[in-house]
Amino acid sequence: MKLTDTDLKILNMLSDNGRMSYVDLAKELDLSRVAVRDRIYQMQEAGIIEKFSVVINSEKVGKGVSAFFNVDCEPNSLVYVAEKLAENPNVASCYQMTGPSTLHTHVLVEDFTSLEKFINEELYALEGISHVESHILLRRFKSRTGLKL
């Protein structure tokens, strides 16, 4: 599917407010509600819009510690480690990065006791990990959940 200027406008508007109604989008774009609905449906079917979701403030729901881990794996264990980390409810994201079979993992936990437990009992317990480097978030200056076009 080739994106039109209208599609890009819809995507940017939804990126700012995913709950924006078809009617409100249509008014902004000078289109019909049905035309907007159809464009959004086509973008969903094409996989351009993967899903609609809510952004939760982790600190306000008791996840006060945000940590990032660079996890180096043995090459034949990378997929296993990545899948195990992805299953963990404390793992917010896990990406394969360039480098020596490195995974970049973002973890959200309640406190430093929970972080220590995660590291010792869940991360270090995985077979195939050769090295772990950790970073604790001190302050967030920008956090973006969606792509801006």
Side-chain angles (χ1 to χ4, degrees):
M1 173 180 179
K2 183 166 174 30
L3 293 174
T4 66
D5 287 342
T6 300
D7 295 331
L8 294 174
K9 288 176 186 174
I10 290 170
L11 290 171
N12 279 322
M13 292 165 72
L14 289 174
S15 179
D16 288 336
N17 179 2
R19 294 186 68 175
M20 197 168 191
S21 70
Y22 294 148
V23 171
D24 291 338
L25 287 163
K27 284 179 188 175
E28 287 281 326
L29 298 166
D30 198 29
L31 295 171
S32 72
R33 178 191 61 78
V34 173
V36 169
R37 183 201 64 203
D38 290 348
R39 294 306 306 166
I40 291 172
Y41 177 77
Q42 289 172 9
M43 288 187 280
Q44 287 176 297
E45 288 297 306
I48 294 164
I49 296 175
E50 292 182 358
K51 68 177 183 173
F52 291 91
S53 64
V54 63
V55 178
I56 299 170
N57 182 318
S58 58
E59 292 176 6
K60 295 196 185 243
V61 294
K63 301 279 188 174
V65 175
S66 181
F68 297 86
F69 296 92
N70 290 325
V71 181
D72 294 339
C73 304
E74 301 299 328
N76 61 348
S77 299
L78 181 109
V79 172
Y80 167 79
V81 172
E83 288 174 348
K84 287 297 183 186
L85 287 172
E87 291 171 4
N88 190 302
N90 293 313
V91 174
S93 61
C94 184
Y95 301 98
Q96 181 179 3
M97 306 296 285
T98 58
S101 302
T102 299
L103 297 172
H104 182 72
T105 305
H106 181 202
V107 174
L108 297 165
V109 292
E110 294 79 10
D111 52 32
F112 286 104
T113 301
S114 299
L115 181 62
E116 180 183 14
K117 182 177 179 182
F118 171 82
I119 292 169
N120 290 328
E121 296 178 13
E122 299 176 58
L123 184 59
Y124 289 164
L126 293 174
E127 295 207 20
I129 293 176
S130 58
H131 177 76
V132 175
E133 182 180 288
S134 62
H135 304 274
I136 307 296
L137 176 71
L138 296 177
R139 180 169 51 160
R140 182 180 339 239
F141 290 99
K142 180 178 180 180
S143 179
R144 188 175 68 179
T145 57
L147 177 65
K148 292 300 268 182
L149 303 173

